Amino acid sequence: MRTRVQWRVSVRLVGTVLKWLWVPLLLPLGIALYDGTTTLPFLGTILGTVGLGVGLEQLTDETTMYEREAFLMVALTWLSVAFVGAAPFVLAGGGTIAQPTNALFESMSGITTTGATVIVDFDAHSRAVFMWRAVLQWLGGLGILVLATAVLSQLGVGGAQLMETESQTRDVNKLTPRISETASLLWQLYLGLTGLQVAVLMGLHFAGYAPEMTLYDAVTHAFTTVSTSGFSPRAESIAAFSPAVQWAVVPFMVVGATNFVLIYAVLRGDIERLRNSDEFRFYLTLLGLFTVGIGGILAVENTYTSPEAIARHSLFQVVSIVTTTGYASVDFNLWSSGAKHLLFVCMFVGGMTGSTTCSIKTLRWLVVLKAFRRDLFVASNPNVVRPVRLSGKVVTEDTIRDIYAYTLVSLLIFIVATVFVAVNASRSRVPVTEFEAMGAAASTFFNVGPAFGIAGPFASYEPFSRSTTLVMTFLMWVGRIEIIPVLVILTPSYWRS
Amino acid sequence: MRTRVQWRVSVRLVGTVLKWLWVPLLLPLGIALYDGTTTLPFLGTILGTVGLGVGLEQLTDETTMYEREAFLMVALTWLSVAFVGAAPFVLAGGGTIAQPTNALFESMSGITTTGATVIVDFDAHSRAVFMWRAVLQWLGGLGILVLATAVLSQLGVGGAQLMETESQTRDVNKLTPRISETASLLWQLYLGLTGLQVAVLMGLHFAGYAPEMTLYDAVTHAFTTVSTSGFSPRAESIAAFSPAVQWAVVPFMVVGATNFVLIYAVLRGDIERLRNSDEFRFYLTLLGLFTVGIGGILAVENTYTSPEAIARHSLFQVVSIVTTTGYASVDFNLWSSGAKHLLFVCMFVGGMTGSTTCSIKTLRWLVVLKAFRRDLFVASNPNVVRPVRLSGKVVTEDTIRDIYAYTLVSLLIFIVATVFVAVNASRSRVPVTEFEAMGAAASTFFNVGPAFGIAGPFASYEPFSRSTTLVMTFLMWVGRIEIIPVLVILTPSYWRS
Ligand SMILES: [K+]
Ligand SMILES: [K+]
């Protein structure tokens, strides 16, 4: 029996990830060279991250990971990339994100695909800096795909073993080969979707439907749509573009929050697999229900005069929040309390497992609802055995318990976070209502991005106190990697025999 | 195998309960006679309920109940008593509660020990009417004690079988004898505690510490303290009385939300049982933590100048909300957003199982936390089996799953309810913020009573629209009888074979 976690193995793999960060850093560097803006932030970060990564790789030659090492590797990877990703913001030196705590928040918001920003003045930053924000999110989306399909499903985190994956074998003893195998498959699909969105957005531009759309806009928004992450170089997010662009972005958000293994199956011609997926049907149903709900409120309250605007904004915002993208087609902060509240509830949903989405996810909610219904039946029929089925397969009682536990622990952490944000804001006289505190806590923890009030879609998280900023940075980190890895490594027994 | 629920058996027992309502109705009748106010509302209700009760008893001679009949009996008992209890308010004809929907709300708020009121003008009602409100709550508290210890623990609702009861045998086939046996034991203790509180309050009065306290005040407040229910004949609740009274009420709220079986054990000299109770320790710990939290906020924000006032109001309000009593020693609606938010979170806690308290309850939260901790350990030690223990006894995995499910379904119903309240208030232009809508939904569903804004402790639920009033009446009913009975009888399969 082993006695301790082999942390060197975890850190070694983190080193490999950091070492390769020089490749994505070439993109903002290229923009900086092209625009003639400062290249120092990116050159400096490249040097630093390669040096750090190569250094960490020297810690050990061992590469075999078990559960403990995998949890540590996952937690440290997201944390260390957030630190490295903050360097360009600090080195660039402009605006609110030059301050180190803010830079870490912005970078964590990037790599966790959250999209909450502490930028106040969008004119204070170069196009290269905005490109780096978008690249961080694109990387974060790819990272989470690999994490969800290759790592978490193997570790059985929060019922993730239920997710529809290519292979149903669980062999945690050799995680590393599986990670690279799954990654290569997914990253082609991910790249393809990104390219398709760039093509669609530029097509709209050349057809005259999107005069404001530049190639730079198309690329940065494609990076942050397919990754359901939501950073935009525009202060007004997608509201800066024409209705045609807003409509065009919706399907890419929907696809970004769909299980990539299912998308892959469809591309191979296996449409049955998608049609038989209980989770996919449930995901679309929820999108429909919330859209009708918010559309109904906007219509009854005469928020917009044109039916097209009502349909567009209700669909766009519901898809944006449920898929945890966080884009805004309009300042929903100005909506009535009923509409805002419903949008707040959307934050708890999330898209499908095996996608780039965050939050609790439709798989878990569906199993929770199915298990509830079964429990009610058994309560009045105590002698009947009735298993819970998902897409025709029986869900084990252990998995149901894991999913219950995950969903509950998510809600509990959210509640504790709201207390911190509300009390701290009240103490430091930041103008935040209780609801806005809850919205900001949910939006960071569930990696949605915008919330309400000062955290609204066209506003900035900057007014929050430094301690709140740090707590929100922590929340984004914990929420993105499905909570359990962080909680596990924070458990004292983890570090003992 | 039986084919259908024997609803006649359930309704017969409901008839017996209704028949005996004439006894508690004598109390307000006596007050009306003494005061010379109208006796008609009570005489009329006595005639009606005895007639209805006797009539329902004729439905069948069968008395043996199984699971299905028990669920129906529980749900119908609370619902029918609420309807009968509303009659005196309608017949009395004064103020806002003469309107039938409001009367049903007020009566349901009584029998469910919620304490939310739609009364606007406290001078518009006789002392007899206020006595009836208090009697309803006292009855509701007694009813829930019997329900929790004799019925729900037998049905295993939401892990209730874990509760510390006198007998650990589960025999649902003969529920009726157990109900009367448990009831006779509990009702003496309940009566004793009520009498003790009357004595303490009158003692304070005669010692000069409570000049405002009359015998009528002492009785009505004792009725609504030990039942953790919170209706006061005073518009200003306990804030109408001296600090000494406020301090004196606190221990009675704490005891009212303590497992009565444990109190009974202590009275028999078995103090070890209380000391060994993990749940009791957890309950006191939570009360302490929340009091320190709110006390800290009130102190930092200079809400009160005297340390005694800070200690008193923070302890009183935390105990009042956690035990789901709902009394107010001060208008906490005027507190800062941080303090209000923390008080809002207190609504989700609840006191101990086997008490008169409502909400999710400390037993469930404790099991949830213990199971989480176990799960985290197992995540990094997948080959280790580690059961969850409560007060030394192993909690089965099925029970853990039931408790997870119950806690989650509570939070889900709460979330759905908030959407309805927020959207409906927004539509009908009732001035309610998103947070106040959530507070009102939580306070009615978890049977706390007051919330924030127009539902604040010195305010009234009257401004809510009629449909919201009806939904809140439903929420109080569902929340009070531990959700499952109502959900079970609303399941179509319940009524089939
Ligand atoms: K996002
Ligand atoms: K109450």
Side-chain angles (χ1 to χ4, degrees), chain A residues 434, chain B residues 105-106 109 114-120 122 133 229-232 234-239 317 320-321 325-335 340 343-344 347 421 430-433 435-444 448-464 472:
Chain A
E434 300 89 347
Chain B
F105 178 97
E106 197 78 8
S109 178
T114 304
T117 188
V118 282
I119 291 179
V120 173
F122 272 65
R133 294 204 319 160
S229 43
F231 266 155
S232 168
R234 305 275 195 149
E236 297 215 312
S237 187
I238 305 297
Q317 284 315 146
S320 169
I321 302 298
T325 308
Y327 278 151
S329 63
V330 70
D331 190 357
F332 57 76
N333 204 20
L334 304 174
W335 286 357
K340 281 200 284 188
L343 216 48
F344 168 68
M347 290 186 183
V421 175
V430 178
V432 180
T433 67
F435 175 69
E436 288 159 7
M438 288 192 243
S443 198
T444 47
V448 176
F452 310 97
I454 61 163
F458 298 164
S460 165
Y461 280 73
E462 199 275 332
F464 282 108
M472 285 177 172

Side-chain angles (χ1 to χ4, degrees), chain A residues 113-115 228-230 324-326 447-449:
Chain A
T113 74
T114 305
T228 62
S229 44
T324 71
T325 308
N447 306 117
V448 177

Side-chain angles (χ1 to χ4, degrees), chain B residues 113-115 137 228-230 324-326 358 447-449:
Chain B
T113 74
T114 304
Q137 296 210 313
T228 61
S229 43
T324 71
T325 308
C358 319
N447 306 115
V448 176

